[in-house]
Amino acid sequence: MIGAFEGIDGAHSQLALDAYFKARALTSASTLGTPSFRSAAVAVSAGRADVGIVPIDNAIAGTVRDGYDLLLEFDLVPIAEIVWRMDHRLLGVPGATLDGVREILAHPLVMAECGKFLASLPNARAVPCEDTGIAAREVARSGNAALAAIAPPSAAVRYELIELAPRVADHPENFTRFIVFRARGSSDPGYAVDESDGPRKTSLVLVTSNAPGSLARCLAVIAQAGISLAKLESKPTLGRPQQAEFYLDIDGDLLDPDHAGALAALRSAALDLRMIGSYRANAHVAVAAAAAAPHVPLSVIRDVLPKPPKSASSSSATPRAARDSRPHGTRVRVDGVEIGDGSFTIIAGPCSVESRQQVLETAFSVRDAGALMLRGGAFKPRTNPYAFQGLGWDGVGLLAEAGRATGLPTVSEVMSIDQVERMASQIDVLQIGARNMQNFDLLKAVGRTGKPVLLKRGLSASIEELIAAAEYVMSEGNPNVILCERGIRTFETATRNTLDLSAVPVLREKTHLPVIVDPSHGVGVRRWIAPMCRAAKASGAHGIIVEVHPNPPEALSDKDQALTFDDFRAIVAELERVPVFTGATPVEV
Ligand code: PEP
Ligand code: MN
């Protein structure tokens, strides 16, 4: 027996389904996680699962229309109702505190159930997450103390999280009603029969005309049959103002032959009656009885539940960066821009910020051409101490101003630990330059900021060393690392460095972090940048970073590789013709 639910292990639906199987001694039954309520319905319709589960309403948030609508749309047969107590707790990684939380991952329905609690945390914003289990898993994987999830205590045990706040739902008596269903025509899963002697409920959708008294006539039929109404909620009928629709739950089995007369009368009183079906009411009695149970501390639950299996990735030397710790890849969010989401992100701007006029002019030009982020160095790692060293904090201020003026998030290099905090307050992405890739204390310092980090590969660093450097940042609790291939030192002198594009598929296979390419520093010669931009996109990179200057011959640093505004526009146009690679890893076809 297989039961389909929305989410991954630890989701409330899965817990409810599991408990249901256990209560019926279906010990060999297993659960199948699917991406949505709809896909759970599809799995059952297509015979990939014997039963499925969807919520139909919650005591605080109200009707889950999707639940009723999917049962109707797929003509599924409801078997049983499970009234499940939603024990929502705020969970974080070990060491996290409630005060330190800035983002809370939660299923949108759960957010609605915990509105008062969420409003009591002014410094934290709620981020919708596809499922409760995923919310808990993502927090665990992030290792980030600023991230928390709303999930049940069993998810805390499974994902080794701690409780930051107990029972965070708006009311302790917070129940969701789930429906377990099967496909019509499928063989009876075998236990519906033993349900037959318990109390039953019937769900249906009733359509009435908007004329006065039409709903009352239908309700009178139900009253006369001596059965009570458990729920009545109107359902918007878009585009049909002359009729009204209602979700109805009735205590009793309206399909029972005893009620045949009532059902026929109801059908004739209504414009239309769409029967969802009748099912065993409140099938999971044990949980319902626990409604008034006191809050159970996590420490007690932890002792009772089996320990979670250790993930394979924990044996890796770089467990946080390893691909298997996040098989679907990481998206690094920088304001509205997401790197690693399957699109191709172009970052452009001058090598160095030289003046207000220069950075503003460049910022507007690259933005209008299609760049999504603005780069610009203020602290420059120059080989010669007498070369232009950057404008320092004045440059940071000018870059931030250009970012605000254009709406582009900004990227700038941070060279020392004492610059980190101030830079993090003004700039959106902290760049670690090639020369600092193994400056481990600096890596830890940017790790502690939680800000997105653009980590460049060292001049003579192996791919393994680049991943280990990323692990340094992540080990401090910052999962927001973007890797950058910018060329390495080889015996070749024709180009400034040797742009190792083969690092792209290798990195994407070995890690879940987004990978971008810097062809400017890779080849060092203006006219060779465009072909390598195209190659970078074709190789599966998530984006590029290039240097652009209003007047390259006058650039104070890296003038030979600075693109003109026209060059940049041409590159963006050419890149349009290179398809973006959408597989999870470039080696996956
Ligand atoms: C830069 O991006 O301006 C820079 C100095 O790059 P890298 O550290 O890759 O040399
Ligand atoms: Mn440069």
Side-chain angles (χ1 to χ4, degrees):
M1 160 93 56
I2 297 176
F5 69 98
E6 181 205 54
I8 63 163
D9 289 355
H12 285 284
S13 316
Q14 188 218 20
L15 300 177
L17 193 55
D18 237 5
Y20 181 74
F21 286 153
K22 281 209 181 73
R24 268 139 205 85
L26 292 162
T27 44
S28 62
S30 59
T31 53
L32 171 72
T34 70
S36 61
F37 296 144
R38 174 168 288 271
S39 47
V42 170
V44 173
S45 288
R48 278 184 280 116
D50 305 290
V51 295
I53 188 168
V54 285
I56 58 168
D57 69 33
N58 172 268
I60 298 173
T63 295
V64 184
R65 291 191 188 141
D66 247 7
Y68 285 96
D69 294 348
L70 286 167
L71 292 171
L72 275 177
E73 180 184 341
F74 287 86
D75 194 20
L76 297 160
V77 180
I79 303 168
E81 170 197 50
I82 302 177
V83 181
W84 186 255
R85 201 179 91 196
M86 304 293 273
D87 186 350
H88 295 314
R89 304 191 187 189
L90 188 71
L91 307 177
V93 296
T97 59
L98 183 57
D99 284 348
V101 171
R102 295 290 172 272
E103 284 195 353
I104 298 176
L105 306 185
H107 191 287
L109 288 173
V110 174
M111 277 186 198
E113 293 162 40
C114 305
K116 287 185 193 153
F117 171 75
L118 290 171
S120 74
L121 301 176
N123 296 323
R125 65 183 188 116
V127 181
C129 189
E130 50 272 62
D131 154 58
T132 292
I134 292 178
R137 189 190 64 187
E138 291 300 292
V139 169
R141 283 186 177 168
S142 76
N144 185 349
L147 216 57
I150 300 180
S154 55
V157 177
R158 178 180 291 275
Y159 298 108
E160 300 185 40
L161 296 172
I162 62 163
E163 185 176 294
L164 304 177
R167 271 195 197 170
V168 295
D170 286 357
H171 194 282
E173 306 282 289
N174 180 28
F175 293 95
T176 289
R177 293 169 55 221
F178 289 97
I179 295 286
V180 181
F181 57 87
R182 64 176 170 88
R184 193 171 298 285
S186 70
S187 60
D188 194 290
Y191 52 87
V193 179
D194 32 278
E195 308 278 4
S196 57
D197 42 358
R200 294 187 71 79
K201 258 189 184 171
T202 307
S203 289
L204 50 98
V205 172
L206 203 62
V207 185
T208 67
S209 77
N210 249 343
S214 17
L215 177 62
R217 273 194 296 282
C218 295
L219 298 183
V221 171
I222 296 170
Q224 274 151 24
I227 39 184
S228 56
L229 197 60
K231 167 193 179 137
L232 172 68
E233 184 166 321
S234 66
K235 175 183 194 293
T237 325
L238 301 175
R240 293 210 196 107
Q242 68 284 49
Q243 66 185 48
E245 288 187 40
F246 301 90
Y247 296 103
L248 259 74
D249 291 343
I250 292 166
D251 281 333
D253 188 346
L254 205 56
L255 295 172
D256 189 293
D258 285 356
H259 292 309
L263 182 57
L266 193 56
R267 280 197 196 282
S268 61
L271 277 183
D272 191 13
L273 185 154
R274 296 180 204 133
M275 180 58 71
I276 293 174
S278 69
Y279 44 86
R280 165 73 201 263
N282 197 3
H284 193 60
V285 183
V287 170
H295 181 75
V296 184
L298 200 51
S299 54
V300 174
I301 294 170
R302 207 184 289 284
D303 289 343
V304 176
L305 288 178
K307 295 279 163 288
K310 283 265 169 251
S311 70
S313 63
S314 58
S315 61
S316 152
T318 50
R320 291 185 163 83
R323 164 63 74 171
D324 64 358
S325 73
R326 230 172 172 176
H328 300 297
T330 286
R331 300 166 174 211
V332 174
R333 247 183 295 164
V334 188
D335 285 341
V337 180
E338 276 201 322
I339 303 178
D341 66 347
S343 62
F344 190 74
T345 308
I346 299 175
I347 307 170
C351 175
S352 301
V353 177
E354 298 170 4
S355 69
R356 186 162 186 271
Q357 156 86 10
Q358 173 245 20
V359 72
L360 278 170
E361 203 184 317
T362 311
F364 278 105
S365 174
V366 298
R367 181 198 69 180
D368 294 347
L372 291 182
M373 265 195 249
L374 178 66
R375 64 148 288 151
F379 296 98
K380 297 303 301 177
R382 305 304 300 277
T383 305
N384 188 303
Y386 309 116
F388 175 61
Q389 302 285 305
L391 295 183
W393 292 114
D394 290 344
V396 174
L398 293 173
L399 183 71
E401 182 188 342
R404 285 192 299 274
T406 51
L408 295 178
T410 50
V411 188
S412 199
E413 177 166 354
V414 56
M415 291 219 301
S416 66
I417 296 174
D418 55 290
Q419 292 165 358
V420 169
E421 214 170 302
R422 187 162 164 194
M423 189 73 104
S425 70
Q426 298 188 58
I427 298 297
D428 301 301
V429 178
L430 304 177
Q431 177 174 325
I432 298 291
R435 290 152 195 84
N436 271 317
M437 189 204 83
Q438 286 190 316
N439 183 339
F440 301 119
D441 287 344
L442 182 61
L443 294 173
K444 286 196 247 179
V446 294
R448 286 190 290 271
T449 66
K451 278 246 163 187
V453 172
L454 195 164
L455 178 61
K456 291 193 138 192
R457 180 176 179 184
L459 275 68
S460 55
S462 67
I463 290 173
E464 219 49 58
E465 286 163 338
L466 173 60
I467 297 171
E471 187 78 17
Y472 261 97
V473 178
M474 300 174 89
S475 69
E476 293 295 324
N478 185 351
N480 303 308
V481 182
I482 303 157
L483 302 174
C484 179
E485 165 56 44
R486 48 78 72 201
I488 47 173
R489 280 279 163 85
T490 66
F491 55 83
E492 182 55 73
T493 53
T495 47
R496 182 175 174 184
N497 290 287
T498 297
L499 188 65
D500 179 15
L501 283 183
S502 54
V504 175
V506 177
L507 285 169
R508 288 199 52 181
E509 186 175 291
K510 288 183 182 288
T511 88
H512 53 79
L513 298 169
V515 181
I516 66 166
V517 172
D518 173 353
S520 300
H521 293 87
V523 297
V525 176
R526 183 173 311 114
R527 66 183 180 284
W528 297 332
I529 293 170
M532 298 322 283
C533 288
R534 299 195 297 267
K537 189 171 182 187
S539 73
H542 296 102
I544 50 164
I545 179 166
V546 288
E547 292 184 343
V548 180
H549 195 282
N551 185 8
E554 302 271 294
L556 296 180
S557 60
D558 287 350
K559 61 178 187 225
D560 294 338
Q561 68 192 40
L563 300 166
T564 64
F565 294 168
D566 283 346
D567 291 335
F568 180 67
R569 270 191 290 273
I571 286 175
V572 176
E574 283 179 358
L575 284 172
E576 292 286 321
R577 293 190 284 127
V578 181
V580 63
F581 182 86
T582 51
T585 71
V587 285
E588 216 174 68
V589 206

